[in-house]
Amino acid sequence: MIQRYELNDLIRADNFIDGKWVPAASGKRFAVTDPATGEVIAQVADSGPADARAATDAAARALPAWRDALPKERAAVLHRWHALIVENADALGRLISLEQGKPFAEGRGEVMYGASYVAWFAEEATRVYGDLIPQQQRGKRMSAVKEPIGIVAAITPWNFPLAMIARKIAPALAVGCTVVGKPAEDTPLTALALVMLAHEAGVPAGVLNLIGASRENAVDAVKDWLEDGRVRKITFTGSTPVGKYLARESAGTLKKLSLELGGNAPFIVFDDADLDAAVAGLMASKFRNGGQTCVCPNRVYVQASVYEKFADLLTQRVAALKVAPATDPDAQIGPMINARAVEKIGRHVSDAVQRGARVLTGGKPLAELGPNYYAPTVIADATPEMQLSCEETFGPVVPLFRFNDEAEVIRAANDTPFGLASYFYSQNVRRIDRVARRLETGLVGINEGAISSEAAPFGGVKESGYGREGSKYGLDDYLSIKYLCQGGLE
Ligand code: ADP
């Protein structure tokens, strides 16, 4: 019988270290609020270096036994964790909506998406093969085996409070690493609930440790991990400046890093595209989580001959989106995460308008709904010098750029330091092959806007980072290869 919890039973506000719930050593706490109303949901432990160190100590003690457990024993624990997450999908989905703001259907969808990584890596845990290398010299046997890298520090963002941490913890635990983690200060509660379920699933004390911290204290807490030689790997999802900082600051102990950083995804609509399919694909990929995802299209390029028609079709769909609190069953877009996010969106829109763009729908905050709402927006006549062309807007704003030919749009699409996702719509098979090869991104959606899957390798190129999450490649980031050479055999 798998335990099913109510939302309130899942709310934990302490750190989880060495199998126990403990307050921060300083006794400090910080408030986590509902972005729809600004009301305080919980006062979470506000950790510093002492708490980070205690987590690492526990992870170090737990490492030998977990590393030496049979893969199928670790897999069994992960399978139980998966079952608990799925059984509690409603309550976890509500918790995501409460602290992050996305509509409940999306929150529940995120739970199932995050759970799919746990199931995937439970299965992959038993398939970490090495190689017997063909003999090179008589009397010598050479082989390569894969070993867990050691203690992993996981640092995650607020936009997918469950999925981002699940897809880091699951592969780490699958191969026998132990974990210390810090979720984003806006949304620590879902991660703490996930850890509570992991403990119930049988993850041994010390194998998985999670600390909360305000933005202010996170820097010193995480710094302890960056400088501690026992922590062998950092896995991070977040902004490019913070990713670069982590790489720089951890260089002293030469850790392995996986960095899933910012994007600035182009979405290209060629004149030979099925326009209805392109609009549907853009709606699905752009407005998920209110436009607050790193794979969201940020720049939409439409070929001149279909520009006005596409803009009309899109504007009708965007104007009909229902913006409401996550608790409204019809909500399609909830509040943005915080006031800082709304301010950035507003800044991008007014900069575009000042430089000659036209607002086709939206273009303003929806203050009547609450503090953090912004209207879904379509902007026509966008140009490369506008801020929304160079930076991720991270909100429900679609800027439409006009282009004339394929070479021009590929140049424009690649003219960014980022390289996470790109999308394009065309029905010409030769063009599909050409464009897919030339786009400089880690992920490419071809006539498809919803591309994420636990079976696919997720990750970027250029300043969008390195490392891959999910798929058969996702374990490699948590493994090191050891070469064994045995002599004297003849
Ligand atoms: P966002 O802009 O989406 O908040 P960030 O990259 O700022 O993205 O944050 C992602 C994660 O990194 C969060 O958990 C945040 O607390 C953490 N973080 C941000 N700055 C630092 C820092 N200097 N040191 C350690 N962690 C940080």
Side-chain angles (χ1 to χ4, degrees):
M1 177 68 184
I2 301 167
Q3 179 75 38
R4 184 179 288 189
Y5 293 98
E6 298 297 326
L7 169 60
N8 283 338
D9 303 328
L10 288 176
I11 295 184
R12 289 283 180 280
D14 281 337
N15 290 334
F16 189 73
I17 297 175
D18 208 9
K20 295 183 216 51
W21 295 100
V22 289
S26 65
K28 286 189 194 152
R29 296 195 169 266
F30 69 101
V32 177
T33 56
D34 175 351
T37 60
E39 279 167 29
V40 174
I41 309 166
Q43 298 281 350
V44 171
D46 193 357
S47 309
D51 307 288
R53 180 71 55 89
T56 312
D57 291 345
R61 282 193 299 273
L63 183 61
W66 186 246
R67 187 177 49 203
D68 291 344
L70 289 176
K72 65 183 172 189
E73 291 167 347
R74 291 195 295 265
V77 172
L78 287 174
H79 278 302
R80 280 198 297 276
W81 190 28
H82 173 257
L84 271 160
I85 297 169
V86 170
E87 186 68 19
N88 288 285
D90 282 355
L92 286 166
R94 266 189 217 100
L95 183 53
I96 293 173
S97 291
L98 183 65
E99 66 173 348
Q100 199 269 324
K102 68 181 64 166
F104 171 67
E106 278 194 43
R108 197 180 189 288
E110 182 188 336
V111 177
M112 300 309 287
Y113 174 61
S116 72
Y117 283 87
V118 178
W120 177 268
F121 285 114
E123 291 165 2
E124 288 294 295
T126 56
R127 292 173 199 148
V128 181
Y129 293 97
D131 285 307
L132 188 60
I133 296 168
Q135 197 168 18
Q136 301 295 314
Q137 281 174 281
R138 303 223 170 273
K140 275 190 187 171
R141 181 183 295 140
M142 299 153 70
S143 58
V145 295
K146 293 183 182 172
E147 295 188 335
I149 192 155
I151 300 175
V152 173
I155 300 154
T156 53
W158 50 263
N159 59 346
F160 290 91
L162 188 141
M164 293 300 106
I165 198 147
R167 73 186 195 187
K168 296 182 184 317
I169 296 173
L173 296 192
V175 299
C177 295
T178 57
V179 176
V180 295
K182 190 207 75 65
E185 57 279 0
D186 290 297
T187 59
L189 298 172
T190 306
L192 288 163
L194 204 57
V195 164
M196 170 188 149
L197 297 182
H199 183 56
E200 191 172 319
V203 173
V207 168
L208 177 56
N209 309 275
L210 198 75
I211 62 170
S214 62
R215 191 147 190 112
E216 202 186 351
N217 286 329
V219 180
D220 285 342
V222 169
K223 205 165 190 161
D224 203 80
W225 293 337
L226 301 181
E227 291 172 356
D228 191 327
R230 295 174 297 170
V231 175
R232 293 312 315 147
K233 178 181 172 76
I234 308 282
T235 171
F236 171 73
T237 300
S239 62
T240 294
V242 175
K244 288 179 180 174
Y245 161 86
L246 295 174
R248 237 181 0 253
E249 295 295 314
S250 64
T253 48
L254 286 183
K255 298 184 201 311
K256 185 160 171 168
L257 280 95
S258 297
L259 301 174
E260 201 270 274
L261 309 177
N264 182 1
F267 186 107
I268 306 168
V269 183
F270 288 101
D271 59 6
D272 52 23
D274 173 340
L275 287 194
D276 291 325
V279 170
L282 180 57
M283 294 300 293
S285 57
K286 176 70 214 183
F287 290 102
R288 186 162 164 236
N289 201 15
Q292 302 171 108
T293 88
C294 46
V295 293
C296 268
N298 199 52
R299 298 168 290 151
V300 178
Y301 295 96
V302 187
Q303 201 151 9
S305 57
V306 294
Y307 187 92
E308 294 302 337
K309 184 166 182 213
F310 184 85
D312 280 351
L313 288 171
L314 179 70
T315 303
Q316 284 168 32
R317 292 280 300 273
V318 174
L321 285 171
K322 165 110 173 157
V323 184
T327 44
D328 184 326
D330 296 327
Q332 290 169 295
I333 305 226
M336 300 294 103
I337 188 68
N338 53 34
R340 198 154 49 100
V342 179
E343 187 274 323
K344 182 179 186 190
I345 297 165
R347 182 161 51 76
H348 279 192
V349 171
S350 56
D351 170 73
V353 170
Q354 264 168 29
R355 292 175 195 264
R358 283 180 291 144
V359 174
L360 301 184
T361 183
K364 57 181 189 317
L366 297 173
E368 62 277 20
L369 290 177
N372 297 327
Y373 289 90
Y374 199 90
T377 299
V378 180
I379 287 180
D381 302 337
T383 54
E385 55 285 349
M386 293 173 182
Q387 284 177 20
L388 43 64
S389 166
C390 319
E391 283 177 51
E392 263 186 313
T393 303
F394 237 61
V397 177
V398 184
L400 298 177
F401 299 75
R402 202 181 300 257
F403 73 92
N404 290 306
D405 65 53
E406 190 181 301
E408 171 198 347
V409 78
I410 287 178
R411 248 192 333 270
N414 289 336
D415 186 18
T416 164
F418 302 102
L420 185 55
S422 59
Y423 307 82
F424 68 95
Y425 277 70
S426 166
Q427 298 194 89
N428 175 330
V429 284
R430 291 169 69 195
R431 168 171 279 160
I432 287 174
D433 176 60
R434 270 194 315 268
V435 176
R437 279 188 285 117
R438 289 183 188 153
L439 286 171
E440 296 168 356
T441 58
L443 322 170
V444 184
I446 305 165
N447 295 326
E448 181 58 61
I451 58 176
S452 297
S453 162
E454 77 281 10
F458 188 102
V461 297
K462 294 159 77 180
E463 292 187 25
S464 290
Y466 37 75
R468 291 294 178 268
E469 295 190 324
S471 82
K472 68 170 184 174
Y473 309 106
L475 289 182
D476 294 342
D477 283 32
Y478 298 89
L479 292 164
S480 57
I481 293 175
K482 183 182 273 178
Y483 159 51
L484 307 175
C485 181
Q486 186 176 359
L489 293 178
E490 277 183 17

